[in-house]
């Protein structure tokens, strides 16, 4: 049997092996690119291009925006459209500010917010108008009583179509911006902004139609249909659409916090949130059909309590994210990446804001050469890169002490005073720029520290990908760049807010055991070791970089 197998292998044609001495001959025999018969195919390269994706999304949203504006203008008329647009835009800044305030602990990028709002205002609204109109006409032609077509469309068809269209934006960000979607707060913010955009377009339609009705009847003022519609939609219930879609966002947020192996849970939770959003939307739309006072009953008994419950859940989730900083960052403080006071300061929104303000004042004062410091004793402006310790308190760089005061200024003296005033103004502007850049560096430091704590929590839950080590090193690199500016400000903020009371400080070394990640644990290495192991990602300044100077400090 073995002999047969050997003969069979010998009968097969041998595969020619490429010898090293023939490599040069083969490469030399390859024709020029213009004479190639077989060209490499760039399979999927167009779809992988970020530019192509951005242009495609922008084009789709622009087309949907033009189409929805044309439809709304056709239904309301030009005057009704302008009136509806002017009134519908009033609650939008308040809603966006509220959702950004909820997300101030770890704010997501503005591109996600703008995409969500544009999707809700253009794409979701267009799908809803077309689908609802088609469904209403279909119901009117198929059921025995066409007068109930509008009621069935509003209570059955509209919630399903509208909530599904709005949920598509949350799904897209969940799939394609997964690193920026970490929990309940992110889901609530994206869903709420999407629904705010949808309500904006819908309010234009309703308010424009109400204005046209007032024009036909001759009503005006407080008793007009336009005023009543504005009061109901923009004053009493501006949170209605955001509240419905927020339930879908909560489902996606819970799915984002689940481990990757929990596939059933990661699929069921968003669907459950979507179903709850549809049910709540259907109850709200059908409240006016229940009884003459059904709207007020549903509003007081159901909508307001649910709104309070969701608000409490979001605030609790944000506080939980802040507690995550105090629980996860001490591991890096024990290794020397952070000071022991920074986790406490980073876990307090009040301390964060105070640190930014203190850094802005400190660096603005240091740029003027003043010895005053808001950081308390033990901190000198001369230790800040960019300060001028040789200048006198209150003096400005570039001053001209030789100019006499009190005498009648001559032409040369006037020119000198003008130059001195210009230099003083430039110095003040430069100092303000230094202060703003220092505050921005502290804000970036806080954001990177929050992302680092969230990344470590995801590793603990098993929701991170195989690139955990690279992401951890990149975040530590960004923190180390800004540490010289941010660490003293956060330490001062922890002291000023009373976070360093004895019962708040854990013992050093930390008694808690921090188990390393299976792939990597950068917190176990000190900054010197990790700095030697990890190079900065791409060209850029190394550790010790001062962002307000834009250059390496002198060694």
């Amino acid at each position: 049997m073995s002999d047969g197998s050997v003969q069979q292998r010998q009968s097969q044609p041998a595969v020619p092996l490429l010898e090293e001495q023939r490599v040069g001959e083969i490469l030399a025999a390859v024709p020029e690119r213009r004479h190639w018969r077989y060209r490499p195919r760039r399979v999927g390269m167009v779809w992988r291009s970020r530019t192509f994706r951005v242009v495609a999304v922008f084009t789709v949203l622009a087309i949907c925006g033009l189409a929805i504006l044309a439809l709304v203008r056709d239904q309301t008329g030009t005057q009704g459209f302008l009136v509806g647009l002017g009134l519908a835009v009033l609650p939008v800044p308040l809603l966006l500010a509220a959702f950004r305030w909820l997300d101030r602990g770890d704010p997501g990028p503005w591109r996600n917010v703008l995409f969500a709002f544009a999707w809700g205002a253009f794409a979701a609204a267009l799908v809803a108008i077309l689908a609802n109109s088609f469904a209403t006409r279909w119901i009117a032609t198929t059921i025995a009583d066409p007068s109930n077509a509008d009621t069935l469309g509003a209570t059955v068809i509209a919630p399903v179509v509208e909530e599904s269209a709005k949920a598509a934006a949350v799904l897209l960000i969940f799939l394609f911006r997964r690193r920026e979607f970490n929990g309940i707060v992110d889901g609530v913010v994206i869903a709420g902004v999407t629904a705010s955009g949808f309500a904006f377009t819908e309010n234009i339609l309703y308010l424009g139609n109400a204005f046209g009705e007032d024009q036909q009847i001759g009503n005006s003022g407080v008793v007009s249909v336009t005023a009543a519609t504005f009061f109901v939609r923009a004053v009493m219930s501006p949170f209605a659409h955001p509240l419905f879609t927020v339930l879908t966002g909560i489902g996606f947020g819970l799915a984002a916090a689940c481990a990757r192996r929990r596939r059933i849970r990661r699929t069921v939770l968003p669907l459950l949130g979507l179903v709850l959003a549809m049910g709540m939307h259907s109850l709200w739309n059908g409240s006016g059909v229940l009884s003459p006072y059904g709207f007020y009953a549903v509003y007081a008994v159901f909508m307001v309590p649910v709104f309070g419950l969701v608000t409490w859940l979001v605030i609790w989730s944000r506080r939980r994210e802040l507690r995550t900083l105090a629980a996860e960052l001490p591991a890096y403080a024990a290794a020397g990446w952070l000071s022991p006071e920074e986790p406490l300061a980073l876990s307090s929104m009040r301390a964060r804001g105070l640190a930014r303000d203190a850094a802005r004042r400190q660096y603005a004062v240091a740029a003027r050469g003043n010895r005053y410091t808001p950081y308390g004793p033990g901190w000198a402006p001369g230790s800040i890169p960019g300060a001028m310790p040789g200048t006198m308190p209150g003096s400005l760089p570039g001053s001209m002490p030789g100019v006499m005061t009190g005498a009648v200024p001559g032409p040369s003296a006037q020119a000198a005073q003008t130059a001195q005033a210009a230099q003083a103004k430039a110095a003040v502007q430069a100092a303000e720029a230094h202060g703003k850049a220092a505050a921005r560096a502290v804000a970036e430091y806080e954001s990177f520290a929050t992302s680092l704590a969230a990344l470590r929590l995801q590793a603990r839950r098993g929701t991170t990908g195989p690139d955990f080590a690279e992401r951890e090193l990149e975040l530590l690199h960004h923190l180390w760049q800004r540490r010289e500016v941010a660490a003293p400000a956060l330490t001062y903020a922890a002291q000023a807010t009373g976070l360093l009371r004895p019962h708040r400080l854990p013992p050093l070394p930390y008694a808690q055991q921090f188990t390393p990640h299976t792939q990597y644990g950068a917190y176990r290495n000190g900054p010197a070791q990790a700095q030697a192991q990890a190079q900065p990602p791409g060209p850029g300044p190394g550790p010790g970089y001062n962002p307000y100077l834009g250059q390496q400090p002198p060694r």
Side-chain angles (χ1 to χ4, degrees), residues 54-268:
V54 171
V55 172
V57 171
F58 180 81
T59 303
V60 170
L61 292 178
I63 293 174
C64 292
L66 294 176
I68 191 64
L69 292 178
L71 289 175
V72 173
R73 181 183 174 277
D74 182 66
Q75 295 186 23
T76 61
T78 302
Q79 292 184 353
F81 174 78
L82 295 177
V83 172
L85 178 63
L87 295 176
V89 78
L90 295 179
V92 170
L94 299 178
L95 293 173
L96 295 182
F99 286 113
R100 290 298 290 181
W101 177 82
L102 291 175
D103 198 28
R104 63 175 182 164
D106 186 16
W110 272 103
R111 62 175 179 270
N112 292 350
V113 176
L114 296 178
F115 167 78
F117 186 85
W119 181 276
F122 302 147
L126 179 63
V127 171
I129 287 181
L130 296 179
N132 291 339
S133 301
F134 173 80
T136 302
R137 289 195 299 267
W138 179 79
I139 293 174
T141 57
T142 55
I143 64 176
D145 188 7
S147 60
N148 293 330
D150 292 336
T151 302
L152 291 176
T155 57
V156 178
I157 303 300
V160 175
V161 173
E162 294 177 5
E163 295 306 321
S164 299
K166 289 182 289 184
V170 188
L171 177 62
L172 290 175
I173 295 180
F174 180 82
L175 294 177
F176 296 102
R177 291 290 183 267
R178 185 63 184 84
R179 292 184 180 180
E180 301 160 0
F181 202 120
N182 299 321
I184 294 177
V185 176
D186 295 325
V188 167
V189 170
I190 296 301
V193 172
T194 304
S196 299
F198 182 88
F200 166 69
T201 303
E202 192 178 59
N203 286 341
I204 297 176
L205 179 62
Y206 278 93
L207 292 170
N209 289 333
F211 178 79
E213 185 177 349
D214 288 332
Q215 292 290 92
Q216 295 178 357
I217 300 176
N219 293 336
S220 62
V222 181
V223 296
S224 64
V225 180
T226 304
T229 304
F230 178 80
F231 178 77
V232 172
R233 299 189 64 87
V235 178
M236 286 188 62
S237 59
F239 57 84
H241 271 289
L243 182 59
F244 307 148
T245 315
V246 156
L247 299 178
T248 305
I250 292 175
F252 276 98
L254 294 174
C258 294
R260 293 180 179 269
R261 62 180 181 275
R262 307 283 186 179
R263 296 184 177 179
I264 297 178
R265 187 179 299 178
R266 289 164 61 89
T267 304
V268 171

Side-chain angles (χ1 to χ4, degrees), residues 196-490:
S196 299
F198 182 88
F200 166 69
T201 303
E202 192 178 59
N203 286 341
I204 297 176
L205 179 62
Y206 278 93
L207 292 170
N209 289 333
F211 178 79
E213 185 177 349
D214 288 332
Q215 292 290 92
Q216 295 178 357
I217 300 176
N219 293 336
S220 62
V222 181
V223 296
S224 64
V225 180
T226 304
T229 304
F230 178 80
F231 178 77
V232 172
R233 299 189 64 87
V235 178
M236 286 188 62
S237 59
F239 57 84
H241 271 289
L243 182 59
F244 307 148
T245 315
V246 156
L247 299 178
T248 305
I250 292 175
F252 276 98
L254 294 174
C258 294
R260 293 180 179 269
R261 62 180 181 275
R262 307 283 186 179
R263 296 184 177 179
I264 297 178
R265 187 179 299 178
R266 289 164 61 89
T267 304
V268 171
L269 288 175
L271 293 177
L272 179 61
L274 179 60
V275 171
L276 292 177
M278 293 177 180
M280 191 172 180
H281 195 164
S282 178
L283 178 63
W284 174 255
N285 287 354
S287 60
V289 186
L290 299 176
S291 66
Y293 301 98
F295 170 78
Y296 301 100
V298 171
Y299 182 84
V301 177
F302 186 75
M303 292 290 291
V304 174
V306 172
F307 176 77
L309 180 62
V310 171
T311 303
W312 171 85
L313 176 62
V314 174
I315 295 177
W316 175 83
S317 300
R318 194 182 69 174
R319 290 180 177 177
R320 186 181 180 184
E321 291 181 355
L322 293 176
R323 289 194 296 268
T324 301
L325 292 166
E328 301 294 341
L329 293 182
Y332 298 97
W337 288 100
L338 308 174
S339 63
E341 299 83 7
E342 289 181 58
L344 296 176
L346 291 168
S347 61
S348 171
M349 297 303 300
R350 178 167 172 258
R352 285 185 170 201
L354 183 61
R356 293 192 296 269
D357 294 339
R360 181 185 294 108
R361 293 194 306 268
Q362 173 66 35
Y363 277 74
V365 170
R368 294 190 180 104
N370 199 320
R371 292 293 184 181
Y372 169 74
T373 170
Y375 289 164
W379 181 261
S383 63
I384 303 176
M388 289 160 285
T391 55
M392 297 296 294
S395 63
L396 293 174
S399 61
M400 303 178 66
V403 179
M404 298 180 61
T405 59
V408 178
S412 59
Q414 289 181 354
Q417 289 182 357
T418 302
Q420 182 182 6
Q423 291 178 356
K425 183 178 179 180
V428 171
Q429 293 177 352
E432 293 178 354
H434 283 209
K436 291 180 180 180
R440 183 170 60 252
V442 176
E444 293 173 351
Y445 188 91
E446 294 169 351
S447 178
F448 288 128
T450 304
S451 300
L452 182 62
L455 179 65
R456 181 175 169 83
L457 181 62
Q458 292 174 9
R460 193 187 303 279
R461 293 175 175 174
T463 59
T464 54
D467 59 343
F468 171 82
E470 291 78 6
R471 294 169 62 185
E472 185 185 34
L473 282 174
E474 181 180 350
L475 289 171
L476 289 173
H477 167 72
H478 291 311
L479 288 177
W480 195 251
Q481 278 186 320
R482 296 156 178 82
R483 185 187 184 188
E484 191 171 359
V485 179
L490 290 169

Side-chain angles (χ1 to χ4, degrees), residues 35-69:
H35 298 299
W36 283 0
R37 295 183 180 180
Y38 304 95
R39 299 181 179 274
R41 295 182 179 181
R42 303 181 66 180
V43 181
M45 295 302 294
V46 176
W47 298 101
R48 296 177 184 177
S49 173
R50 182 179 180 182
T51 304
F52 176 82
R53 294 198 301 265
V54 171
V55 172
V57 171
F58 180 81
T59 303
V60 170
L61 292 178
I63 293 174
C64 292
L66 294 176
I68 191 64
L69 292 178

